[in-house]
Amino acid sequence: MDHRPRERVPVLADVARVAGVSVPTVSRVLTGATPVSDKTRKRVDDAILELGYRPNEAARALVRGRQSMVGIIAGNTTRFGYAATIQGIEEAARAAGLLVAITVVNSATEADVKAAVDLMLGQPLAGVIVLDFDLQGERALSALPETLPIAVVTSTNDGRAARRVLFDDHKGGYEATKYLLSLGHETVHYVAVPSSGRPSGRLVGWREALLEAGRKVPEVVLADWSAQSGFEAGLILAGLSDVTAVLSGNDEIAFGVMKALQLNGLSVPDDVSVVGFDDHPHAVLWSPSLTTMAQDFVQLGASALHLLVAEREGADGPADASSPSPHLIVRDSTAPPRAGGAGRTIH
Amino acid sequence: MDHRPRERVPVLADVARVAGVSVPTVSRVLTGATPVSDKTRKRVDDAILELGYRPNEAARALVRGRQSMVGIIAGNTTRFGYAATIQGIEEAARAAGLLVAITVVNSATEADVKAAVDLMLGQPLAGVIVLDFDLQGERALSALPETLPIAVVTSTNDGRAARRVLFDDHKGGYEATKYLLSLGHETVHYVAVPSSGRPSGRLVGWREALLEAGRKVPEVVLADWSAQSGFEAGLILAGLSDVTAVLSGNDEIAFGVMKALQLNGLSVPDDVSVVGFDDHPHAVLWSPSLTTMAQDFVQLGASALHLLVAEREGADGPADASSPSPHLIVRDSTAPPRAGGAGRTIH
DNA sequence: CTGAAAGCGCTTACAG
DNA sequence: CTGAAAGCGCTTACAG
């Protein structure tokens, strides 16, 4: 392999010298702003090729004062909702000629939040998109300077001024719970994903639907975003006697919950109905296939990017965008409770 | 919400004026390079706070000639192997004080490859890491200029000079196939992930193990990286009469294959054994849990970042890094073939 | 159409 | 310890 030290990288002045023209002329053929004679252009192009010249983007950014990179700050990059949102941002950014930079906020500690924000602000940025899905995101948002264009993907209207893409988490939790009650379940247990400080919308919607129907509200079981944590939550639920319906904060948790229930000899959906959130690609393939509240994260991400571009261009358009409501996809993991509670005691 | 036009962002000269010192002095307290008197430092710090000053990183990058951003070029960002590798790169980069920028190469067409590469090169970069997992990655790598530090995550030694993190795909395919043959299967079918032009290492290893054992080599079934494509492959395999063992190019494909087999009344592993690749987090939760060839993608990514940093610092160290070999994790999706072929005809 | 000059915001020798 | 000067690599008026 060839690892000899690279020679000094050629700069615009080198091109000018080789082409026998002035520096601004080279710049003109590069930017295409002002007309240049064909003969001159040709000589410059040849010199560029010969030297393998590439413009120094730091210098360009400095003089233009206009950046072409957008930052994403997120609690992680691999969980389905995060990854899909990032995908939406990246695709929309690429279409707009913008590059995407990403930094993860490891935890909500001041040190981790500051590290992520400083790393991000250490680059020439057109703006930043924050994924306000968790406490890390929330804190990072607060730590960002007022002087930067910011867009946030969130389910809450509180907090600092920034353009928002709102998704209706509350409605999702409410509708999913109503659906389970409509099947005849006495109550619905909830396994929670982490939230941004205050209770998440889906949790509030769940509780509201239960209270509205006059049902008791079971204690929330906590999980993180992982299937493994769902499995542990499922073990807890399997040990309770009155569980016939479980709403999970996301699909990966639901996968874990189902596995734990099944390992404990409980059938899904015959003994326990399970509903997830997000419509993960594996939801349709699981056994049983998973009933879930679908959310279009890719579009959420794209909307956030478009909001940021609008702000950057000083548009006076709507400050916020809202996404289509989540919608329930009914599959095989939900059913009415066993008649008379056969095999299971209902309370 | 507050969307008044942001005032001109303060520059170093503003801080100097407010603090009543010279521009270089402000720079000195910023960089911490040269000693500054406590009194002066305090006045400068106060001015920075008062103005909310942030250094212009484009200017810094220009004068320092040293960039603090690494680019990642990848075929996608959401499939497990890609996402985990990107996670490893991002974590290692953050630890090294580097920000990560990502662009996806949509397809291997010249237009898409050029678009992605140009977008990436349009930023001040310390170097680029290419995920050479597919044809897009391969082509993007070729399109990169020689003057940039480059690292590549790959399973092949061919191609252009660049620091490489090699993972042993060939061995993975070989060992997985040997394992299935050792259970008593007559042959092993293979469902392929996309490859970088030439056949992938895992495919070659699979074929080699079969030939070495004197078995017939079944026709390869093609898939992309998705569980859905695995499902379609599974439908094809379910229609053949001699299938008792299937090696899948990744776990998500294996999930789809299993689902299709099961929907066609075939039991996994009683009728058909299935092995995956990568150890996706869902592999252990699937029903049946999936036997798979595990690969530590997070570490692959971290190694690539370290290679890039070494090159950037002009280290003469080893040009390449190799990762730990993939290792087989045996779970419940594999078993010896049914004795006498009960319920299924073997050939 | 092209060149000489100024300037983007910072850092780094150079003097004192 | 601090200031005046030069320069990083480019683009954009300003002249011609």
Side-chain angles (χ1 to χ4, degrees):
Chain A
M1 226 150 304
D2 177 9
H3 288 310
R4 68 209 144 84
R6 285 176 302 283
E7 58 280 17
R8 186 176 67 80
V9 346
V11 299
L12 210 157
D14 298 319
V15 176
R17 189 168 26 73
V18 170
V21 300
S22 72
V23 161
T25 295
V26 177
S27 176
R28 282 174 196 120
V29 349
L30 250 26
T31 61
T34 336
V36 178
S37 78
D38 285 350
K39 207 182 64 190
T40 307
R41 177 186 311 279
K42 170 104 178 62
R43 278 162 54 198
V44 170
D45 284 340
D46 288 348
I48 288 174
L49 247 41
E50 180 187 336
L51 296 173
Y53 169 76
R54 289 263 173 193
N56 177 320
E57 293 300 326
R60 283 189 147 172
L62 175 57
V63 55
R64 286 179 171 160
R66 188 166 213 271
Q67 321 299 161
S68 59
M69 187 165 57
V70 314
I72 302 177
I73 299 184
N76 76 70
T77 58
T78 58
R79 303 276 166 224
F80 177 64
Y82 294 83
T85 307
I86 291 170
Q87 180 192 341
I89 296 172
E90 195 278 335
E91 285 170 358
R94 185 151 32 89
L98 298 166
L99 187 66
V100 145
I102 299 184
T103 190
V104 170
V105 195
N106 254 352
S107 79
T109 61
E110 196 176 326
D112 278 348
V113 169
K114 184 173 170 10
V117 167
D118 284 351
L119 189 60
M120 189 54 89
L121 295 176
Q123 295 296 144
L125 251 35
V128 173
I129 297 176
V130 179
L131 268 43
D132 181 18
F133 293 168
D134 47 33
L135 192 52
Q136 289 101 292
E138 183 86 17
R139 296 240 167 106
L141 181 58
S142 313
L144 253 15
E146 300 284 342
T147 46
L148 197 69
I150 297 173
V152 48
V153 183
T154 181
S155 61
T156 170
N157 248 313
D158 307 354
R160 55 166 287 165
R163 304 225 167 182
R164 302 167 182 282
V165 180
L166 282 163
F167 57 97
D168 198 344
D169 224 19
H170 178 275
K171 181 176 172 193
Y174 180 82
E175 298 286 349
T177 306
K178 290 279 277 188
Y179 162 72
L180 283 165
L181 294 178
S182 78
L183 289 176
H185 293 278
E186 188 55 34
T187 189
V188 175
H189 284 69
Y190 181 69
V191 183
V193 289
S195 71
S196 312
R198 84 195 70 64
S200 72
R202 44 191 81 171
L203 187 153
V204 174
W206 159 76
R207 187 192 328 236
E208 194 173 302
L210 288 179
L211 290 175
E212 198 177 288
R215 306 303 168 82
K216 75 165 195 178
V217 178
E219 196 170 342
V220 171
V221 181
L222 298 176
D224 58 32
W225 303 94
S226 71
Q228 180 57 40
S229 75
F231 183 79
E232 283 152 25
L235 292 179
I236 293 174
L237 292 169
L240 304 178
S241 60
D242 66 339
V243 179
T244 70
V246 178
L247 176 61
S248 302
N250 74 8
D251 287 346
E252 305 198 62
I253 289 175
F255 297 152
V257 166
M258 289 195 285
K259 183 72 175 186
L261 294 174
Q262 289 163 341
L263 284 181
N264 277 271
L266 295 168
S267 161
V268 178
D270 292 340
D271 293 314
V272 183
S273 286
V274 176
V275 173
F277 252 96
D278 299 348
D279 197 23
H280 187 289
H282 293 166
V284 67
L285 293 173
W286 210 269
S287 299
S289 63
L290 179 66
T291 296
T292 189
M293 192 55 79
Q295 183 78 257
D296 189 345
F297 287 107
V298 174
Q299 196 197 312
L300 283 180
S303 297
L305 190 281
H306 294 143
L307 233 41
L308 197 64
V309 167
E311 161 135 31
R312 173 179 180 240
E313 292 175 350
D316 281 333
D320 296 346
S322 55
S323 62
S325 288
H327 62 283
L328 188 71
I329 300 177
V330 176
R331 297 204 182 97
D332 300 331
S333 65
T334 45
R338 253 191 219 292
R344 295 278 288 171
T345 313
I346 300 188
H347 324 307
Chain B
M1 225 149 305
D2 178 7
H3 287 310
R4 67 209 145 85
R6 286 175 301 284
E7 58 279 20
R8 185 178 67 80
V9 346
V11 298
L12 210 158
D14 298 320
V15 177
R17 189 168 27 72
V18 169
V21 299
S22 72
V23 162
T25 295
V26 178
S27 176
R28 283 176 196 118
V29 349
L30 249 27
T31 61
T34 335
V36 177
S37 78
D38 284 349
K39 206 183 65 188
T40 308
R41 179 187 310 280
K42 170 104 178 61
R43 278 162 55 198
V44 170
D45 283 339
D46 289 348
I48 287 175
L49 248 42
E50 179 186 336
L51 295 172
Y53 169 76
R54 289 264 174 193
N56 178 320
E57 293 300 325
R60 284 190 145 171
L62 175 58
V63 56
R64 286 179 171 159
R66 188 167 213 270
Q67 321 298 160
S68 59
M69 187 166 57
V70 314
I72 302 177
I73 300 185
N76 75 72
T77 58
T78 57
R79 301 281 167 221
F80 176 64
Y82 293 84
T85 307
I86 291 171
Q87 181 191 340
I89 297 172
E90 195 277 335
E91 286 171 357
R94 185 151 34 87
L98 298 166
L99 186 67
V100 145
I102 299 184
T103 189
V104 169
V105 196
N106 253 353
S107 79
T109 61
E110 196 176 326
D112 279 348
V113 170
K114 183 171 169 13
V117 167
D118 284 352
L119 189 59
M120 190 54 88
L121 294 176
Q123 296 296 144
L125 252 33
V128 172
I129 296 176
V130 179
L131 269 42
D132 181 18
F133 293 168
D134 48 33
L135 192 51
Q136 289 102 292
E138 183 85 18
R139 296 239 167 107
L141 181 58
S142 312
L144 253 17
E146 301 284 342
T147 46
L148 197 69
I150 297 174
V152 49
V153 183
T154 180
S155 61
T156 170
N157 250 313
D158 306 355
R160 55 165 287 165
R163 305 226 167 182
R164 302 167 181 283
V165 181
L166 283 162
F167 58 97
D168 199 344
D169 223 19
H170 178 274
K171 181 177 172 194
Y174 179 82
E175 298 286 349
T177 307
K178 290 278 277 189
Y179 162 71
L180 283 165
L181 293 178
S182 78
L183 289 175
H185 293 278
E186 188 55 34
T187 190
V188 175
H189 284 70
Y190 182 69
V191 182
V193 288
S195 71
S196 312
R198 86 194 70 65
S200 72
R202 44 192 81 171
L203 188 153
V204 173
W206 159 75
R207 187 190 330 234
E208 195 173 301
L210 288 180
L211 291 175
E212 198 176 288
R215 307 304 168 83
K216 75 166 196 180
V217 178
E219 195 170 343
V220 171
V221 182
L222 298 176
D224 57 33
W225 303 93
S226 72
Q228 180 56 40
S229 75
F231 183 79
E232 283 152 26
L235 293 178
I236 294 174
L237 292 168
L240 303 178
S241 60
D242 66 339
V243 179
T244 70
V246 178
L247 177 60
S248 301
N250 74 8
D251 287 347
E252 305 198 61
I253 289 174
F255 298 151
V257 165
M258 290 194 286
K259 183 73 174 185
L261 293 174
Q262 289 162 340
L263 285 180
N264 277 270
L266 296 168
S267 161
V268 179
D270 293 339
D271 293 315
V272 183
S273 287
V274 176
V275 173
F277 252 97
D278 300 348
D279 197 24
H280 188 289
H282 293 166
V284 67
L285 293 174
W286 211 266
S287 300
S289 64
L290 179 65
T291 296
T292 189
M293 191 57 77
Q295 183 78 256
D296 190 345
F297 286 109
V298 174
Q299 196 196 312
L300 283 180
S303 298
L305 191 279
H306 295 143
L307 233 41
L308 197 64
V309 167
E311 160 135 31
R312 172 180 182 238
E313 291 175 351
D316 281 334
D320 296 347
S322 56
S323 62
S325 288
H327 62 283
L328 188 70
I329 299 177
V330 175
R331 297 202 181 96
D332 301 330
S333 65
T334 45
R338 253 191 220 292
R344 294 280 290 174
T345 313
I346 301 189
H347 340 298

